[in-house]
Amino acid sequence: MRIAQIAPLAESVPPKLYGGTERVVAWLVNELVELGHQVTLFASGDSRTRGELHAVWPRPLRLGRPRVDPNTACTLLIEAVSRRACEFDVIHAHIDWLHLSALSRCGIPFLTTLHGRLDLPGIGEVVRQFREASFVSISDSQRAPLKDANWCGTVHHGLPAGLFRPSYAPGSYLAFLGRLTPDKGPEEAIRIARAVGMPLRIAAKVPRGETGYFKKRIQPEIDGNRIQLIGEVDELGKQSFLSGAAALLFPIDWPEPFGLVMIEAMACGTPVIAYRAGSVPEVIDEGVTGFIVENEAEAMRAVKELARIDRRKVRARFEERFTSDRMARTYEDHYGRLLAAGRPAYPPVASERLGTLASPLVP
């Protein structure tokens, strides 16, 4: 198949530091190429891919300087895909809702994977405007606020089996990996670690809008000894960070759509202690890859039960359920069903527009 993949422009594909969606898109593209498909990736110009890269904007928006209006770059992204739409058998978008109007009129089958939370105001109204658009969820729980959307399946994320090497040693500290925001639970992670008398290492970024929260609630707790802040880590840094941990703490307080960090830990053989929210019960196999808990007290007890977890079985379950090869093959099936169903019955845009090939829209 000739497949277009549309990535967000906030980060490169894959991202150099933080960025879950862009990382998943990178793995998906590479696996689809391995399966023999012709894949074009629409992304930032510094992205790296085994497919064809159509560079829409030279640098990722989050780290790029000078800062630009993201609407400008996203407009060019949609225009680039629209101009080349007739070159593809199927288009796969990972950019929330931005593409729906344009792609609904281009006459090419398209699929949208939704990567974020779906319980925010206004999203239901958007979905009702595009009832024929096909959506994929990244967990069953993610669908709950939008039961009437045209869901064609759930595809759990996967990562390359060889990306991380597992460690079967017990680990000497607890780990927290993610954003330093209240809904990710860093304060709870600190309290759990202190209560059980174990060091906590925090590998995380401080979002621009959360600097006040960080300075007031997190920074005073960091002593550089028992509670250490490492900052953002790349793939190499994650390897040692996660494989050396006794467990990953995931005390979330929001409907997490998936939680990529959980399967990154599992790939390293590291069990996860997670609050029961969002996708957690779909990802964690209780007593095998970690423990699902309701509160801090249960999390503290779970830390003391970590010796029951066989880290070899954690890695084995990762290989069974969460590899990027499995993810790509599942998407491949969805693409095939879209093509078998025929082209969508939307009015196409003018044929002369579709027949115009775009040169890379790089400022």
Side-chain angles (χ1 to χ4, degrees):
M1 285 179 274
R2 299 169 301 167
I3 304 167
Q5 296 285 340
I6 314 175
L9 297 177
E11 308 286 346
S12 58
V13 178
K16 295 177 174 59
L17 295 170
Y18 188 86
T21 299
E22 295 85 357
R23 190 165 275 112
V24 170
V25 172
W27 296 329
L28 175 60
V29 170
N30 290 345
E31 293 288 357
L32 289 171
V33 171
E34 286 293 311
L35 291 171
H37 301 289
Q38 299 176 36
V39 187
T40 300
L41 172 65
F42 292 81
S44 66
D46 61 343
S47 298
R48 304 183 311 279
T49 180
R50 295 178 189 168
E52 174 201 342
L53 175 63
H54 185 125
V56 177
W57 197 261
R59 293 169 298 279
L61 300 181
R62 184 172 76 91
L63 300 177
R65 296 293 185 275
R67 295 198 182 279
V68 300
D69 178 359
N71 291 326
T72 301
C74 289
T75 298
L76 292 177
L77 173 63
I78 300 303
E79 181 66 8
V81 176
S82 298
R83 290 187 180 185
R84 295 189 61 183
C86 64
E87 299 178 32
F88 307 110
D89 299 311
V90 64
I91 300 172
H92 188 175
H94 304 266
I95 54 174
D96 296 328
W97 322 101
L98 297 177
H99 59 287
L100 289 177
S101 182
L103 294 191
S104 291
R105 291 165 171 80
C106 75
I108 304 300
F110 73 95
L111 182 70
T112 301
T113 295
L114 297 173
H115 290 264
R117 65 187 301 172
L118 304 180
D119 58 342
L120 301 177
I123 292 180
E125 294 299 320
V126 173
V127 169
R128 281 189 283 275
Q129 292 294 319
F130 300 95
R131 295 185 182 277
E132 302 302 318
S134 297
F135 296 102
V136 164
S137 53
I138 57 176
S139 66
D140 291 339
S141 67
Q142 184 193 28
R143 299 185 186 190
L146 293 180
K147 296 184 186 299
D148 296 331
N150 184 23
W151 297 110
C152 61
T154 289
V155 182
H156 290 143
H157 288 334
L159 58 88
L163 183 64
F164 296 117
R165 299 184 310 278
S167 170
Y168 303 128
S172 58
Y173 55 86
L174 299 173
F176 178 92
L177 177 61
R179 299 190 312 271
L180 289 178
T181 60
D183 57 10
K184 290 289 189 178
E187 293 176 78
E188 288 82 353
I190 291 170
R191 290 195 294 267
I192 292 166
R194 289 195 186 280
V196 298
M198 289 187 68
L200 176 69
R201 296 185 184 177
I202 302 171
K205 78 168 186 176
V206 181
R208 196 177 308 152
E210 299 289 353
T211 54
Y213 166 75
F214 170 74
K215 290 179 180 179
K216 182 179 180 180
R217 307 299 295 269
I218 304 299
Q219 194 170 44
E221 301 293 333
I222 297 169
D223 57 19
N225 182 20
R226 304 300 293 179
I227 310 296
Q228 298 181 24
L229 176 62
I230 298 172
E232 291 188 67
V233 292
D234 57 14
E235 300 289 9
L236 183 61
K238 281 184 186 178
Q239 167 69 65
S240 58
F241 177 75
L242 289 172
S243 63
L248 172 77
L249 296 182
F250 199 64
I252 56 170
D253 185 26
W254 74 300
E256 173 70 67
F258 185 78
L260 188 62
V261 63
M262 290 190 285
I263 66 170
E264 290 175 329
M266 291 161 56
C268 294
T270 301
V272 180
I273 298 174
Y275 282 15
R276 187 185 302 277
S279 66
V280 166
E282 296 176 48
V283 178
I284 300 301
D285 291 311
E286 174 68 24
V288 178
T289 58
F291 299 105
I292 302 171
V293 300
E294 306 291 344
N295 50 47
E296 290 180 33
E298 289 190 10
M300 295 170 197
R301 289 195 290 271
V303 171
K304 297 177 181 179
E305 296 294 321
L306 287 172
R308 291 173 38 203
I309 300 292
D310 184 340
R311 293 175 71 114
R312 287 178 172 79
K313 291 182 178 179
V314 175
R315 171 69 189 196
R317 192 59 57 91
F318 156 76
E319 292 177 357
E320 291 170 12
R321 299 187 59 202
F322 298 115
T323 65
S324 53
D325 175 73
R326 184 272 317 159
M327 174 178 67
R329 291 179 186 276
T330 307
Y331 275 121
E332 185 181 47
D333 290 341
H334 284 300
Y335 303 154
R337 284 196 286 271
L338 273 179
L339 291 175
R343 291 175 179 257
Y346 292 105
V349 298
S351 58
E352 62 269 19
R353 173 73 169 278
L354 283 175
T356 303
L357 299 182
S359 58
L361 295 173
V362 180

